[in-house]
Amino acid sequence: MDKIGVDENCGIKSRKWLAWGIVLLVVIVAVSWYLSRDKGGLKEGMVVIKAGDARLGSFTVADLRKLPAVEKKMVITSNCGGACKSSEDDGDDSSEHNYTGTSLLEVLNSIDPGLPQKYKKVITRGIDYYSQVLEMSEVQQPDNVYIVYSDYGQPLKTKAGGDGSLLLVVCSDQSGQRFTNWLVSLELQ
């Protein structure tokens, strides 16, 4: 009889631990969702520029097309050593692009000519929450940081597959690791 009582006790304790584990998992998922939700109504095709809580401006692909355009021919070499290629690829870890866009410095100056002097860093953010930090000195280097809207004359694709996305390109990075796809936000610090 004692064994039956002990087994029931263990079973009850196991179920309590399982219930607490499920509750904890639900709380973790809820907190993660809350922290990662889109607080600013950001959407592809529009980039919001802010400093702290202040919104300094925004721009769209149409706004960029009104600024001086530059074509940038680039060969981006992947640093995955062939590990990210499918069996159908030819084994080349590079891709050629002919981007059209505007320098980030030109964009910032169009919002406020004093912005590049007031801030030291630019934090870029994509719709997928990928972020990258650029020093303002990099942005001010000639022929280095661009926001592009087309490749070979075709609009860049949004994450969902539509037309009208933006890409931040750092020309001094030939591997593309510092590029920001699906750009939606620039935070100045």
Side-chain angles (χ1 to χ4, degrees):
M1 285 249 198
D2 287 336
K3 282 189 171 185
I4 294 173
V6 171
D7 288 340
E8 284 179 17
N9 229 3
C10 284
I12 292 171
K13 285 182 181 180
S14 296
R15 283 181 270 179
K16 283 183 181 179
W17 279 110
L18 179 62
W20 278 111
I22 291 171
V23 167
L24 181 61
L25 183 61
V26 168
V27 168
I28 290 171
V29 168
V31 168
S32 296
W33 170 81
Y34 177 78
L35 293 175
S36 68
R37 77 191 193 293
D38 183 12
K39 300 171 193 99
L42 301 174
K43 60 183 179 181
E44 286 189 84
M46 174 187 279
V47 176
V48 174
I49 302 173
K50 60 184 183 172
D53 291 334
R55 183 177 167 146
L56 304 176
S58 64
F59 60 89
T60 64
V61 172
D63 297 326
L64 284 183
R65 288 183 184 276
K66 294 175 187 172
L67 296 173
V70 174
E71 282 196 11
K72 295 299 301 172
K73 291 184 179 188
M74 300 183 76
V75 176
I76 301 168
T77 304
S78 170
N79 58 3
C80 66
C84 27
K85 294 288 184 181
S86 71
S87 60
E88 299 163 6
D89 289 329
D90 60 6
D92 187 10
D93 286 345
S94 63
S95 59
E96 294 182 16
H97 299 274
N98 189 10
Y99 291 125
T100 304
T102 302
S103 78
L104 177 55
L105 184 60
E106 184 78 35
V107 173
L108 294 176
N109 283 330
S110 75
I111 302 286
D112 176 354
L115 288 180
Q117 289 72 37
K118 292 178 189 173
Y119 298 97
K120 302 263 187 241
K121 296 182 182 195
V122 179
I123 301 173
T124 67
R125 181 173 146 214
I127 196 74
D128 60 349
Y129 297 102
Y130 176 82
S131 294
Q132 189 61 246
V133 179
L134 300 170
E135 297 294 327
M136 191 61 77
S137 60
E138 292 178 276
V139 173
Q140 292 174 323
Q141 289 175 5
D143 196 37
N144 193 32
V145 182
Y146 291 89
I147 299 176
V148 300
Y149 46 83
S150 71
D151 190 10
Y152 289 103
Q154 299 300 311
L156 297 180
K157 297 295 182 188
T158 64
K159 188 169 184 196
D163 289 344
S165 189
L166 295 165
L167 167 68
L168 184 121
V169 173
V170 180
C171 295
S172 60
D173 173 18
Q174 293 301 308
S175 68
Q177 296 299 308
R178 299 187 66 213
F179 293 15
T180 304
N181 286 311
W182 310 304
L183 183 67
V184 293
S185 171
L186 299 172
E187 182 179 342
L188 305 180
Q189 292 185 344

